[in-house]
Amino acid sequence: MTNYYEKEFETMPRAILERLQLERLQTLAGYVYEKCDFYRKKMDESGIKPADIKRLSDLKKLPFTTKQDLRDNYPYGMFSASMSDIVRVHASSGTTGKLTVAGYTQNDIDIWSTVMARSLAAGGCSRSSIINVAYGYGLFTGGLGAHYGSEQLGALTIPASSGNTKRQLQMFKDFKVTTLCCTPSYALYLADEMEKEGYKISDFNLEQGLFGAEPWSEEMRLQIQDKLGLKAYNIYGLSEIIGPGVSMECECQCGSHIWEDHFLPEIIDPETLEPLGYGKQGELVFTTISKTGMPLIRYRTRDLCSLIDEPCKCGRTHVCMTRIIGRSDDMLIIGGVNVFPSQIESALFTMKEIEPHYQIIVDRVNNLDKIEIQVEIKDELFSDEVKNLQNLKSQLEKNVSSAISIGVKIHFVSRGTIERSQGKAVRVIDKRRI
Ligand code: DLL
C-alpha cells in the first residue's frame, strides 16, 4: 500500500492542483513585485505586471532568475520578507568566493519540513522509522533538511552528520537504524567500511536510504542496495529552491515526483531559453510558489533532465523528473560539495609563483571523491630548496582547500607539461565513473 504523508495534496486531481498553482503564482507575482526591489525592477523592465498572470501559461512572461542574480544581490538582496521575519539562512558555493545564500521564514521552514516528510514517506518511512541523518549539518541544506523532515514525520531522528564512519556503523547496529540519509558515494564508503569492520547485513535493520546531493546512476543504486541490504531512493533538491525534498522517488522508482504544489517546474532549452515539452531533455527551472523568505521566479538550476508525461502507479499526481544527466554549466559536485573551477583558479592565482596553466583531476578512490590539481610553476623554483617548494605547496593547498571547503592535493609540474589546447583549455578531467 502506498505510504503518503499528505495524501490530499499528493494525489490531488491535476485540474485542482493546477488551479492551486495558478492562485499561488498570482499571489507570488504580486508579493515579489511589492516586496523585492530586484523583481520589481526586472518585471518593470520586461513590461509585465502581476495582473498579467491570468493563466499558468503566463509563467513564461516572467523573467528568469540566475545564480549570478543571487551573487549580484549578495547576501540579502533577493529576500522578499523583511529581515526580522527571516529565521534561518543556508548557503552553497557560488562561482566565485561569494556564497549563494538562501533565506527562510518560519513559513518556509514549515514547507521544507513538510516536503521532506512527504519524501521520507514516499520512501516508505513512518513514525516508527529510526532515521540516521548522515548528510552534513551546517550551511549545507542536507543535514538540517532531512532532520526537520524526519521529526515532522514523527520518526526517531539521529543527527549523526557525515564522517566518523566507525561510530555510524556502531549506531546502525545498536540503535537499530532503519533509514540512512546521505550522499550515494558516502553510502558506498559506509558499505566498504562495514565489510572491513566485519559487519554483516544481518547485523543491521536497514530498510531504505534516501540518497542525493550529487549525480548517481542505476549501477550505483544496485551496488548500494546489494551491499547495505536496503532499498535505495533518489532524492533531489537545491538550496536556492529549498534544499533536499524538491523531488523524491516513490516505491515505483520511475522518476522523482516534484512537489508541484510548492515548486512549479519547467524544462527549457538552455541556449534559446524556450520552454520544452514533456519528454524533452533540457534545463530544469523552478518557480517557488509558496515560499515567503526568498521566493524565486523561474530559477535556472543548470541541471539537465526531462519531465515524464505519464501518471505514476503510486497514485501521486505530481509530475516526475528523470535523473539529472548533467549540467549546463561547469559546476562539479565533489563529495556532495558544489565546486566551480573558477573558485579554484582564483585561489591558485593569488600566488605569483604559479603559471597560468593548471588541470583539475577528479577521481573516486574507495568510493570517496578525491581532487588533485596539477599546477605549472616557474622552472627556477624546481632548483630551489625542497623545503621552500614544500612550503609553497602546503600554502597553496591551504588556500585552495579553504576556497572550496574540501581538501585538495597540489602536484607541481614543470612548464609545458600540461597539454595546451587550440580551443578551450581542458581544465577538468573527471575520471569518476558514476
Ligand atoms: O545538494 C540539496 C540536497 C541535499 C539534495 C541532500 C538532496 C539530498 P546544493 O548543495 O545547493 O543542495 O546542491 C544542489 O546538487 O543543483 C544538483 O546539481 C545536485 N543534486 C542534488 N540532488 C541531486 C540528485 C543540495 N539526486 C545541486 N541527483 C543540484 C543529481 C543532485 N544531482
Side-chain angles (χ1 to χ4, degrees):
M1 221 186 57
T2 303
N3 192 30
Y4 304 107
Y5 177 68
E6 283 188 315
K7 187 171 183 199
E8 187 197 340
F9 284 98
E10 294 172 50
T11 61
M12 197 175 246
R14 286 292 314 173
I16 301 180
L17 178 60
E18 284 167 20
R19 205 177 315 139
L20 177 68
Q21 288 175 325
L22 176 60
E23 272 167 28
R24 289 187 169 173
L25 179 64
Q26 288 171 325
T27 307
L28 170 80
Y31 178 74
V32 295
Y33 190 81
E34 188 194 325
K35 305 274 187 185
C36 182
D37 292 347
F38 168 83
Y39 278 122
R40 188 177 327 104
K41 201 160 155 257
K42 269 224 161 180
M43 284 166 72
D44 283 344
E45 276 164 14
S46 15
I48 175 151
K49 291 273 176 285
D52 297 331
I53 306 296
K54 299 203 168 64
R55 50 191 75 82
L56 270 182
S57 57
D58 290 333
L59 176 65
K60 62 176 182 297
K61 294 182 180 164
L62 290 166
F64 288 103
T65 310
T66 62
K67 215 177 184 58
Q68 183 65 36
D69 292 326
L70 267 64
R71 227 188 98 208
D72 293 344
N73 292 283
Y74 173 87
Y76 301 143
M78 297 296 290
F79 293 5
S80 288
S82 66
M83 283 306 286
S84 57
D85 288 328
I86 299 286
V87 298
R88 171 122 48 100
V89 290
H90 281 278
S92 60
S93 303
T95 41
T96 65
K98 279 187 191 168
L99 292 166
T100 301
V101 178
Y104 302 72
T105 56
Q106 189 55 51
N107 162 72
D108 303 340
I109 298 285
D110 294 345
I111 291 169
W112 190 12
S113 309
T114 303
V115 291
M116 264 313 297
R118 279 187 199 174
S119 302
L120 286 159
C125 299
S126 66
R127 294 177 60 82
S128 42
S129 299
I130 301 178
I131 301 183
N132 190 76
V133 181
Y135 286 115
Y137 280 63
L139 284 177
F140 174 56
T141 49
L144 285 168
H147 183 105
Y148 275 59
S150 170
E151 287 189 349
Q152 171 106 1
L153 184 66
L156 195 164
T157 310
I158 307 173
S161 198
S162 51
N164 210 338
T165 307
K166 276 193 189 148
R167 193 182 61 185
Q168 304 247 7
L169 292 169
Q170 188 73 51
M171 285 199 297
F172 282 6
K173 184 164 182 238
D174 298 346
F175 295 4
K176 300 194 175 13
V177 168
T178 59
T179 312
L180 172 62
C181 298
C182 66
T183 59
S185 48
Y186 189 57
L188 279 175
Y189 182 72
L190 272 164
D192 284 351
E193 291 300 298
M194 171 183 143
E195 214 181 300
K196 274 193 213 148
E197 294 292 313
Y199 289 107
K200 295 184 298 298
I201 288 179
S202 56
D203 291 328
F204 300 141
N205 292 52
L206 289 170
E207 290 169 15
Q208 67 275 97
L210 275 69
F211 306 116
E214 63 185 8
W216 57 307
S217 58
E218 286 306 311
E219 291 69 36
M220 275 179 84
R221 186 196 315 259
L222 295 180
Q223 277 195 37
I224 293 173
Q225 297 192 147
D226 188 46
K227 292 182 171 180
L228 286 174
L230 46 67
K231 185 160 174 174
Y233 290 88
N234 188 16
I235 180 160
Y236 166 85
L238 62 163
S239 336
E240 298 91 312
I241 296 305
I242 207 151
V246 173
S247 78
M248 168 69 190
E249 281 181 339
C250 64
E251 73 268 22
C252 303
Q253 300 196 314
C254 21
S256 299
H257 291 281
I258 297 170
W259 302 122
E260 271 189 282
D261 48 337
H262 297 291
F263 317 114
L264 203 55
E266 292 174 89
I267 296 285
I268 60 158
D269 178 323
E271 302 296 325
T272 64
L273 306 185
E274 279 308 308
L276 299 174
Y278 281 107
K280 293 259 164 40
Q281 218 153 71
E283 183 181 329
L284 186 57
V285 169
F286 282 112
T287 301
T288 63
I289 48 177
S290 55
K291 287 201 319 177
T292 49
M294 192 184 82
L296 295 181
I297 289 182
R298 305 190 83 195
Y299 182 70
R300 294 188 56 187
T301 64
R302 296 290 187 168
D303 290 322
L304 302 175
C305 70
S306 58
L307 297 180
I308 301 168
D309 185 21
E310 252 172 60
C312 185
K313 290 195 186 67
C314 73
R316 290 183 182 83
T317 48
H318 297 222
V319 72
C320 282
M321 60 185 258
T322 62
R323 274 185 189 280
I324 303 295
I325 52 122
R327 291 195 42 98
S328 66
D329 65 4
D330 57 355
M331 187 179 93
L332 298 161
I333 303 184
I334 301 175
V337 179
N338 304 348
V339 174
F340 288 92
S342 53
Q343 290 175 286
I344 296 181
E345 181 170 307
S346 327
L348 287 177
F349 294 166
T350 50
M351 296 183 93
K352 62 178 186 326
E353 295 87 347
I354 304 304
E355 293 282 312
H357 300 287
Y358 67 93
Q359 206 154 48
I360 301 164
I361 298 157
V362 190
D363 206 350
R364 191 162 278 177
V365 183
N366 295 334
N367 296 311
L368 284 184
D369 290 345
K370 298 268 180 254
I371 173 163
E372 179 192 298
I373 307 167
Q374 297 199 342
V375 186
E376 289 189 8
I377 51 169
K378 299 193 171 18
D379 283 341
E380 54 271 29
L381 287 170
F382 280 110
S383 52
D384 218 354
E385 268 194 62
V386 175
K387 195 172 80 210
N388 292 344
L389 211 55
Q390 195 54 44
N391 285 346
L392 179 66
K393 193 164 105 86
S394 312
Q395 189 54 48
L396 207 55
E397 282 176 346
K398 239 205 233 145
N399 288 0
V400 178
S401 300
S402 87
I404 62 174
S405 311
I406 45 175
V408 299
K409 282 238 159 311
I410 300 276
H411 186 70
F412 286 144
V413 293
S414 53
R415 276 177 87 165
T417 308
I418 291 169
E419 204 180 316
R420 305 296 191 256
S421 153
Q422 298 288 316
K424 279 189 187 199
V426 181
R427 294 297 192 200
V428 181
I429 298 180
D430 199 336
K431 295 184 174 167
R432 292 174 293 184
R433 270 179 292 119
I434 294 173

